[in-house]
Amino acid sequence: MASPRSWFSIPKGSPFSIANFPFGIISTKESPNLRTAVAIGDHALDLAAFAANNGFSAISTIQPHQAVFSESTLNSFAALGRPIHSVVRKYLHSVFADDTPYPDVLKNNAQLQQEALIPLKDVTTHLPMKIGDYTDFYAGKNHAYNCGVIFRGPVNALQPNYDHLPVGYHGRASSVVVSGTPIRRPNGQILENPAAEKKVPIFSPSRKLDMELELGAFVCKSNPLGSPVPIAEAEESLFGLVLMNDWSARDIQAWEYVPLGPFNSKNFGTTISPWVVLADALEPFMVKGLQSGVELLPYMQEKRKENVYNIKLKVDLTKTAKSGTRTTITRTSASNLLFSFPQMIAHHTIGGCPFNVGDLLGSGTISGTDPTSRGALLEQSENGKVSIKLDGGEERTFLEDGDTITITGLCGEDEEGLVGFGECSGTVEPAIKLDF
Amino acid sequence: MASPRSWFSIPKGSPFSIANFPFGIISTKESPNLRTAVAIGDHALDLAAFAANNGFSAISTIQPHQAVFSESTLNSFAALGRPIHSVVRKYLHSVFADDTPYPDVLKNNAQLQQEALIPLKDVTTHLPMKIGDYTDFYAGKNHAYNCGVIFRGPVNALQPNYDHLPVGYHGRASSVVVSGTPIRRPNGQILENPAAEKKVPIFSPSRKLDMELELGAFVCKSNPLGSPVPIAEAEESLFGLVLMNDWSARDIQAWEYVPLGPFNSKNFGTTISPWVVLADALEPFMVKGLQSGVELLPYMQEKRKENVYNIKLKVDLTKTAKSGTRTTITRTSASNLLFSFPQMIAHHTIGGCPFNVGDLLGSGTISGTDPTSRGALLEQSENGKVSIKLDGGEERTFLEDGDTITITGLCGEDEEGLVGFGECSGTVEPAIKLDF
Ligand SMILES: [Ca+2]
Ligand SMILES: [Ca+2]
Ligand SMILES: [Mg+2]
Ligand SMILES: [Mg+2]
Ligand code: NI
C-alpha cells in the first residue's frame, strides 16, 4: 500500500483512510436492496454499482466473481478467500491513490462518483454476515482475573485450565445485531440477596446490565466435521474483524451459569460494528499479546510471536436522559489478549468441530491492568460497590435505561494511514412489562 | 384419526404406522435432489412426486404451499405453522386409511404408488432442517443428579438453580448430523491424573467417549429480539421431535468446562434421527414428568399437567469389531424430564432471545432411576469404575472405536397405532493421528 494520499477528500482523523477499505452491507432510501460497500472517508463506495459500471474492468481476478457484491451478506465474498480479498483491497487502494494508474475508473469519472460514492449519513448499514455459529472466548486475561475475583474470589479467580486453552462458550448467533439496534433490558431470574442461604429467585428486569468490550472475528473458510484446522493454516480462515459489545446481565448470569455456563445473561443481544476490517488491513498493527504462564501444547503453537492487534479501543457512555453528555469510561488496547484468533480456531476445531463461512468468534472482554482500562462495568464498579463518575455529575455502577454505549477502535498514529472500525453502538431500552 | 388400518401394507411393529407420518428429507440414486417425504411402514412417500401428481388436489389448504415439498430442508414447511402441519398429516392419514374417501389419489393409482412410494432401504435421509441455533438443555433430573455426584460430589450434585429453571447451554449447530454419519473420536486436552495437584494437560484422543440419550425438538416459529414467547403460546412453536445422541468426551469436558460450560467436549458431533415426528402425532402420549421441588415462577407455569412424552427409549451398543453383537444397554421413558419443551422455549426467550424456524432444542440426557435406565455411560460406569457387560463377553466403561450406538423410540402399545422415530445411529471412528 504505497501511497497514503488520495485524490478523494478524506476528512482528517477518519478511520476509513485509503489504508483500510473495510467491507459492509448497505442500503439507501433510493435503493433499498442490500449490497456490498467499502467505507472510504465519510462515504461508502457501493461495490454493486461500481462493478456494474466497469469499476473492476482493470482487474481480471475479480471479474468472474463480481456478482458477490450484489448479495445481501458478505459471505460469498468472504468465501473467495484471503488472496482474493487482498487483491480487491489493493486494487481499491490503487483506484483511490493520488497517483492512481486507473484514473478513468473513478478519479476522472464524475458520473460513477455520483452514482457509487454515497455519504455515510445517507447509508443504512446491516449485519455484514449471515452468522452460522457464534463462539465467545474469554481470552482477555486481565478481565477474566478481575471477574474471577468477583464471582469466585482470588484463589479460584482463574481456573487451572485458563492458561492452557482459550476458554470459551458457544453463543447465540440469532442474537447478534448490527450497531444501532436498540437493546432491551432483559427480564429474568435473579437472586435479590445472593448471600442468603436459601436461594429463591425473583422475576425482575436485570438490575446489573453491563457491556463487554470485545473484538469479533469472522471466519472465511469451512472445515468438515472431524477435520481440525492446523494452527499453521488458521490465519487463512480469518476474514476480518469487527468491534463487539457482548451485553451481559450480571445478576441473571450469577444465578444461572453454574454448571453449564452463561445463557440468558448473554443471549438478549450482542452488538457488532457494521464494517468488517480485513485481516490484511490490520496486519501492520500486530504486536505481542499477554504472556502465558505455561508452554502451550503443539497444536496451538504459532510461528509468529506478534499475533494480536494493537487497536486503540475506547468505550463511551452517553446519557440520553437529560444532558446527553458523553463520557469516555474505558481506554485500552486490543493487545490485552492471551490467545490469538488463529489459536482460538486451532483449539475450537482440534476435536473436529466444523466451521462455516460467516461464523463469528468473540475475543472475550478486553481490559488493561489499570482501572480506567477495564472493559466491563462489572470490573469498573467491582460488581456494584464503586460508582463510576460521569461527566455532568451523574454516577453509574451498571447501565440505566436510555444509556448508550459506543465502542470505537483505531490503529495507526498518522491520520493519513488510520485503520479503524467506526462505531459499535447500542442504546438500552427499558425492559418490557409482562403481566401474569 | 379414526381408522388404525391401512390399505397399504405396513409391517407389524413398524414405528411408521398411519398414526404417525413423520417428515424427513430424502434423496435416491435415481433422483439425487433433496426433497420432502413422510415415512409410512417400510416406505417413504415422496411428497414432491406426490404433489406433482395431484396428490394434494383434494385439499385446498395446502395447494398454495406445495412448492415447500421440493425444498432441501423442512424449514419452509415447518414455517407454515402447526395448523397446516395438522391438516397435512390428517389428510395423509385419510389417504392411507382403509376407508379412504380419496381412493383415486393413491389407493387405486398404481402409477403414483410406483413413482412416489419408495422402499426405505433405497432412500438416503438427510439432515431434516437447516439449524440456525442449537441449545442443549439439562432437564433429565436423574441424569443431572448422577453426573453432579460424579463431577462435584453429592452435596453440590444439583445446583440451587436446578429446579427453578431449565439449565442449558448454547450448542454448536454446525456439528449436528443425521443418523448414520460416522463420529470421529475427538483429540483434545485431558488430564492424565485429574487428582494430581498440579494440573498439566496432555494432548490425546479422548479416553472417555460417551453417548447421551436425548430428545430433540425443532422450532417452527420465530420471535424477534426483545419479544419473549409466552408460555401459553410456546406449544405453537413446536414443530416436531427427533431422537438425539449428544456425543460427549468426558475427559475433555472435565478439564474445560469450568467456568463457561462444555465446549470441545460436545462440538465434535451430535446425531439426530432423520424423521421429524410432528408434535401433533405425539399428543396422545403426553404424561406428567418429574416433579419439581419448588413452585415455578409464573412465566414458566403451564396450564396442562401432562407436558412430557411417554416415549419408550432404548439404546443399543453394537460391537462391529468381531461379532457385531448388539446389546441393549438402556431402557427408559422420555417422561423422565423436569421441564417440557414449551417451558424451555418460554425460559429461553424470557430475556428477549430470538428464535428462528429450524432452531433445535435438546432435552438433556434422559435417565430413569434404576441402573439399566441410565442414558449415558458416564452414569452406567460411574465414570469408569464399573464395567458394563455386553452380550458375547466383552465389557465397556466408555465407547471403543468401531462401536455403534443406536437409539430407538416408540410410543403406543398397539402395533397398529405405533408412533416411533426409527433409528438414531452413529459409529465411532478412530481419532485422526496428528503430527507436530
Ligand atoms: Ca463475552
Ligand atoms: Ca447433552
Ligand atoms: Mg451476547
Ligand atoms: Mg453434541
Ligand atoms: Ni383417522
Side-chain angles (χ1 to χ4, degrees), chain A residues 129-327:
Chain A
M129 305 282 278
K130 179 161 175 51
I131 303 167
D133 279 288
Y134 154 48
T135 295
D136 196 18
F137 284 95
Y138 194 51
K141 190 173 179 177
N142 301 321
H143 167 78
Y145 177 78
N146 291 338
C147 290
V149 170
I150 289 164
F151 281 125
R152 290 175 296 277
V155 175
N156 295 310
L158 292 178
Q159 301 294 324
N161 59 19
Y162 189 84
D163 274 7
H164 291 279
L165 54 84
V167 171
Y169 65 98
H170 303 122
R172 179 83 188 176
S174 69
S175 68
V176 180
V177 295
V178 74
S179 180
T181 308
I183 299 294
R184 253 192 203 291
R185 179 183 300 274
N187 290 297
Q189 294 193 16
I190 65 172
L191 291 181
E192 273 203 298
N193 178 9
E197 199 170 328
K198 197 163 156 65
K199 314 279 188 208
V200 179
I202 61 162
F203 184 78
S204 169
S206 172
R207 299 168 184 177
K208 292 189 173 179
L209 184 59
D210 200 355
M211 51 101 186
E212 287 193 336
L213 167 62
E214 302 198 29
L215 284 189
F218 279 110
V219 167
C220 61
K221 241 183 144 171
S222 64
N223 64 296
L225 187 78
S227 296
V229 177
I231 184 78
E233 295 168 25
E235 272 189 273
E236 289 305 304
S237 295
L238 215 53
F239 175 49
L241 269 61
V242 289
L243 304 172
M244 190 167 119
N245 182 350
D246 180 25
W247 304 90
S248 299
R250 300 304 180 188
D251 39 7
I252 296 174
Q253 184 175 1
W255 169 237
E256 77 178 1
Y257 91 106
V258 180
L260 299 186
F263 187 57
N264 280 352
S265 55
K266 298 279 191 176
N267 65 25
F268 59 93
T270 296
T271 305
I272 62 170
S273 55
W275 298 103
V276 181
V277 178
L278 295 185
D280 275 14
L282 292 164
E283 191 69 34
F285 309 104
M286 296 193 83
V287 293
K288 278 188 194 169
L290 301 178
Q291 291 312 297
S292 174
V294 303
E295 193 184 338
L296 291 178
L297 284 165
Y299 78 92
M300 275 197 300
Q301 287 179 14
E302 281 180 290
K303 282 209 180 110
R304 72 190 301 163
K305 297 246 161 74
E306 308 192 324
N307 61 356
V308 298
Y309 303 98
N310 183 24
I311 305 164
K312 282 166 285 193
L313 299 170
K314 199 158 72 82
V315 182
D316 288 359
L317 192 159
T318 308
K319 301 175 296 185
T320 45
K322 292 171 203 163
S323 58
T325 316
R326 183 163 169 160
T327 308

Side-chain angles (χ1 to χ4, degrees), chain A residues 405-427:
Chain A
I405 289 291
T406 304
I407 304 175
T408 52
L410 210 55
C411 293
E413 295 298 324
D414 168 17
E415 73 200 16
E416 286 170 336
L418 287 179
V419 173
F421 291 79
E423 293 194 344
C424 172
S425 182
T427 299

Side-chain angles (χ1 to χ4, degrees), chain B residues 134 136-137 169 212 214 246 248 266 364-365:
Chain B
Y134 153 48
D136 196 18
F137 284 94
Y169 64 99
E212 288 193 335
E214 302 198 30
D246 180 25
S248 298
K266 298 279 192 177
T365 307

